[in-house]
Amino acid sequence: MSTKPILSVPTEQLENTTFDATMEERILELLKRYPTTRATLIPVLWLCQERYGWLAPGVIRAVADRLGESPAYVEGVATFYTMFYTKPPAKFVLQACETLSCAVCGGKELLHHLESRLGIKPGEKTPDGVFQLVGVQCLGACGTAPVVQINDDYYENLTIERLDAVLDDLKGRS
Amino acid sequence: MESVLLRARGVPNSRSIDTYLAAGGWSGFAKALSMTPDAVVQETIESELRGRGGAGFPTGRKWSFVPKDHPGPRYLICNADESEPGTFKDREIIEHDPHMVLEGIAIASYAIRSNTAYIYIRGEFVRWAALLEDAIGEAHRQGWLGRNVKGSGYDLDIWVHRGAGAYICGEETALIESIEGKRGFPRLKPPFPAVVGVFGKPTVVNNVETLACLPHILTKGAKWFASIGRPKNTGTKLYCVSGHVKRPGVYELPMGVTFREIIEGPCGGIREGHTLKAFFPGGSSAPVMRASEVDVRADFDACAEAGTMLGSGGVIVLDDSVDMVETAANLAHFYAHESCGQCTPCREGSDWARDILDRIVAGHGRPADPETLLRICRFASQGMTICPLGDAFSLPISSIVKKFPEEFERHIRAASTVPQKKLPVLPWAGSRPGFGS
Ligand SMILES: Cc1cc2nc3c(=O)[nH]c(=O)nc-3n(C[C@H](O)[C@H](O)[C@H](O)COP(=O)(O)O)c2cc1C
Ligand code: SF4
Ligand code: FES
């Protein structure tokens, strides 16, 4: 698997975000799918996160402007959902499942290993900005526990050795 | 038994529409289009298909609640949120047979006279959302979706809508709020979605597996479907087995096999050197079962009679290496994290339960803790909350306290008597009249 790194655009560059023609075209396409403008909010936030890496305050304002919502409303929705980043993420976000089936099938040991290998706690980033560790709830892949999601990809049936090999590879490519 | 829902697993190129058509795919929808919508509802009622999303509500009856004289649009939503811990069957269907899901959506949409359907898929399933998008593209190109499907005069669009990380959005009214572009806060019922759903219009929410049964019911007939399984618990079921079995995975079996048959059959039994201690029969929100209850039938009614529920069919198997207090603590963390926070008993109760359980695990349990946990659970269930998440967090925890009291006693007897500097929580001491019991 070749997991794509997240490239977060710096906050300053997103201060006065405006949507270009490609983005505008995709928003118009989304608007056709729903009877209300508001319903496009989550899909538009996804578009932005794919494009800019995260939802900087400037992006939130731009989305609010485009969809006719207040920035407070957009932020309120964005922060309800755990997958929207309102702070710039590392290149690779390691989302280790902590829920029952993973926990009893080696997930706990895997998380401890990640903490000691990377020298960080869940929620933190490595100083070089390459890895971020997050403890997450059930990823819906409990039959292939333990599971770690890295950016958009699922890594299943993991052992410490396999995960180490994955991290070595990602580190080499970053 | 012949595979029905998993027949594409292992078939080369199983996701392509050509493979699907060659296996008789899309002919169930063609058949539906030759019938009246009411006849499709009737056929589904006769199949006795019950919802696979958790509650086991009869699917055809749910459709029949959609008002027939409603002038405006109606919506069908396919629930692919798959967030109940222990559940991973919908992903399996989508991965091998996305057209089966689309065909099921098409049949259900036609039955309720809807021209727009949304697939709400959990945000983490990026790859599987893309598989569905690809399949929708193929179905459009071959005229199974879009305007005037196969010359029938019926129009249907299906859109994939990705969630963004929130267990509660699997609950149908939270899901509806989420599609509308809001926080996933469950709505008070009634009104039920069948009458006032997404965008204020009549809406049916059905699970992926439920919908995947429909093409087969249409092509092979309601009688055939009802002949599989047991009375009122018909058809095949996808059991997702995780935890300490030799071969975890998704297995399709006739509804009503026993948990022993599932665990000792395709799963190959408990891992070497260990014995079964407990299992959750239907996702983590179902009351726990002891090893001695393994001969219960894995169907809706038998599970209800045994005081638990089949739920989503997610069987979580725990062997003798597992500490049940830690198990309760693990689940309490899950529910405390996922409570949307609208109702006090669920929001506060799940946090208290988590803190008390953490405290016991950390070696600072107190004799009154099990009773306190039971009170918190009582307070958050029995209709005291807007949505069933209150029960979903209470039932597994209270059942663990009740079925494994010796494990709590062991922890609490060994607990340190040195007072903690910082107590995680200060639940009320003793009984307070009129408060939660
Ligand atoms: C807290 C909670 C979470 C739920 N999560 C899911 C889910 O992830 N997937 C699902 O299909 N149903 C889920 N449900 C059940 C749905 O509310 C709804 O009953 C179901 O989608 C109806 O489909 P069915 O009739 O086909 O079973 C959940 C319910 C609750 C209370
Ligand atoms: S029961 Fe819990 S999850 Fe459901 S609405 Fe109330 S606070 Fe939210
Ligand atoms: S418990 Fe880890 S994926 Fe479900």
Side-chain angles (χ1 to χ4, degrees):
Chain A
M1 222 180 310
S2 61
T3 297
K4 274 201 308 200
I6 300 172
L7 301 173
S8 328
V9 179
T11 320
E12 311 78 68
Q13 291 177 30
L14 295 172
E15 261 314 300
N16 299 305
T17 304
T18 49
F19 298 136
D20 60 17
T22 337
M23 196 75 164
E24 187 54 34
E25 194 183 314
R26 295 186 70 180
I27 294 174
L28 287 174
E29 202 273 323
L30 282 172
L31 283 164
K32 280 190 239 153
R33 300 183 181 186
Y34 307 91
T36 66
T37 304
R38 181 173 272 188
T40 62
L41 177 52
I42 291 170
V44 169
L45 289 175
W46 273 126
L47 280 182
C48 292
Q49 186 154 304
E50 276 157 30
R51 180 71 172 269
Y52 309 114
W54 65 299
L55 304 175
V59 175
I60 299 262
R61 280 196 299 274
V63 172
D65 259 6
R66 178 62 186 84
L67 302 183
E69 300 285 354
S70 68
Y73 181 79
V74 174
E75 192 173 345
V77 172
T79 52
F80 182 83
Y81 297 94
T82 54
M83 295 183 75
F84 287 132
Y85 302 130
T86 45
K87 295 207 176 69
K91 281 191 181 134
F92 297 104
V93 184
L94 312 175
Q95 300 155 76
C97 174
E98 293 186 317
T99 310
L100 190 56
S101 302
C102 284
V104 300
C105 292
K108 253 190 270 179
E109 292 75 14
L110 212 60
L111 189 60
H112 287 150
H113 174 72
L114 282 173
E115 287 178 359
S116 63
R117 172 176 164 146
L118 301 171
I120 52 174
K121 292 266 159 225
E124 295 175 353
K125 285 194 254 181
T126 52
D128 58 6
V130 177
F131 294 115
Q132 183 171 352
L133 185 56
V134 189
V136 296
Q137 301 302 337
C138 180
L139 290 165
C142 332
T144 43
V147 186
V148 176
Q149 182 177 6
I150 307 181
N151 298 355
D152 287 349
D153 295 314
Y154 272 49
Y155 291 83
E156 304 173 45
N157 275 322
L158 285 171
T159 56
I160 288 178
E161 295 71 42
R162 276 201 53 222
L163 185 58
D164 271 340
V166 170
L167 295 197
D168 289 342
D169 175 52
L170 295 178
K171 176 101 187 144
R173 286 196 289 114
S174 74
Chain B
M1 191 203 73
E2 203 192 329
S3 297
V4 180
L5 302 178
L6 292 182
R7 66 172 185 195
R9 192 155 73 171
V11 172
N13 243 337
S14 69
R15 286 194 287 265
S16 97
I17 193 165
D18 297 330
T19 313
Y20 189 67
L21 287 167
W26 285 107
S27 61
F29 183 39
K31 171 112 184 269
L33 288 173
S34 73
M35 299 159 67
T36 63
D38 289 347
V40 177
V41 175
Q42 192 52 36
E43 187 76 10
T44 308
I45 290 176
E46 280 165 22
S47 75
E48 298 191 355
L49 170 65
R50 291 169 70 170
R52 295 341 192 198
F57 195 84
T59 306
R61 269 187 50 213
K62 189 180 201 168
W63 296 349
S64 69
F65 298 148
V66 174
K68 290 203 171 54
D69 47 4
H70 193 278
R74 305 148 216 267
Y75 295 96
L76 185 104
I77 298 172
C78 167
N79 190 342
D81 195 56
E82 187 131 282
S83 306
E84 173 74 15
T87 314
F88 43 97
K89 62 195 175 65
D90 300 339
R91 180 179 79 142
E92 192 85 358
I93 303 177
I94 295 166
E95 171 145 345
H96 298 288
D97 220 345
H99 280 283
M100 194 161 73
V101 181
L102 300 186
E103 188 182 355
I105 293 172
I107 293 167
S109 301
Y110 179 74
I112 64 160
R113 302 171 164 90
S114 154
N115 303 107
T116 310
Y118 298 105
I119 304 175
Y120 189 97
I121 185 165
R122 63 179 296 170
E124 290 86 349
F125 284 178
V126 189
R127 304 289 170 218
W128 295 274
L131 297 181
L132 287 167
E133 298 267 16
D134 290 348
I136 291 172
E138 282 184 323
H140 262 284
R141 283 192 291 280
Q142 302 225 8
W144 291 103
L145 293 177
R147 285 187 67 89
N148 189 16
V149 174
K150 299 285 170 191
S152 64
Y154 177 65
D155 306 335
L156 180 64
D157 276 314
I158 303 179
W159 304 111
V160 176
H161 186 102
R162 280 177 64 211
Y167 166 67
I168 194 56
C169 290
E171 193 283 328
E172 57 185 8
T173 61
L175 186 159
I176 284 171
E177 289 280 302
S178 181
I179 290 192
E180 290 181 356
K182 304 179 196 159
R183 292 173 163 231
F185 282 161
R187 295 177 180 172
L188 211 49
K189 295 194 260 192
F192 289 92
V195 183
V196 183
V198 73
F199 310 118
K201 307 294 182 208
T203 302
V204 166
V205 182
N206 279 139
N207 170 258
V208 170
E209 184 188 350
T210 312
L211 293 165
C213 293
L214 298 172
H216 307 285
I217 291 174
L218 266 288
T219 49
K220 298 192 196 119
K223 281 215 182 64
W224 163 82
F225 192 83
S227 73
I228 307 171
R230 315 222 337 131
K232 304 259 175 255
N233 294 268
T234 58
T236 64
K237 176 79 193 84
L238 297 185
Y239 296 101
C240 337
V241 191
S242 64
H244 293 141
V245 291
K246 287 200 186 111
R247 288 188 297 273
V250 185
Y251 299 101
E252 181 173 20
L253 295 164
M255 184 85 89
V257 295
T258 65
F259 288 100
R260 183 193 297 280
E261 287 171 298
I262 300 170
I263 294 170
E264 293 179 2
C267 297
I270 304 298
R271 63 178 177 163
E272 223 50 71
H274 290 275
T275 54
L276 176 65
K277 180 184 225 169
F279 63 96
F280 290 91
S284 69
S285 305
V288 74
M289 302 286 268
R290 290 195 195 91
S292 60
E293 295 170 289
V294 73
D295 288 310
V296 166
R297 286 186 187 281
D299 68 32
F300 294 110
D301 297 332
C303 282
E305 257 166 57
T308 185
M309 56 191 220
L310 182 64
S312 57
V315 187
I316 307 173
V317 180
L318 303 173
D319 71 16
D320 51 12
S321 69
V322 171
D323 180 321
M324 293 310 289
V325 182
E326 283 184 32
T327 299
N330 181 288
L331 295 180
H333 273 263
F334 174 81
Y335 292 105
H337 184 269
E338 301 298 342
S339 167
C340 84
Q342 284 189 105
C343 324
T344 313
C346 170
R347 180 188 64 238
E348 303 300 318
S350 55
D351 280 2
W352 286 347
R354 176 200 59 202
D355 289 353
I356 291 170
L357 286 159
D358 278 354
R359 181 173 76 194
I360 304 175
V361 171
H364 294 281
R366 303 166 186 177
D369 282 348
E371 188 50 39
T372 309
L373 284 167
L374 291 178
R375 273 159 172 271
I376 291 171
C377 291
R378 263 201 305 275
F379 197 33
S381 51
Q382 301 169 341
M384 305 283 257
T385 56
I386 294 174
C387 92
L389 192 126
D391 302 272
F393 114 72
S394 305
L395 293 172
I397 291 174
S398 60
S399 64
I400 294 174
V401 175
K402 285 181 197 154
K403 290 193 176 178
F404 296 91
E406 66 284 359
E407 302 216 4
F408 285 81
E409 280 160 26
R410 185 166 41 80
H411 274 275
I412 292 166
R413 236 182 293 120
S416 156
T417 47
V418 183
Q420 277 174 289
K421 276 205 197 101
K422 191 166 157 270
L423 289 173
V425 284
L426 282 170
W428 61 86
S431 61
R432 271 193 217 172
F435 201 63
S437 60

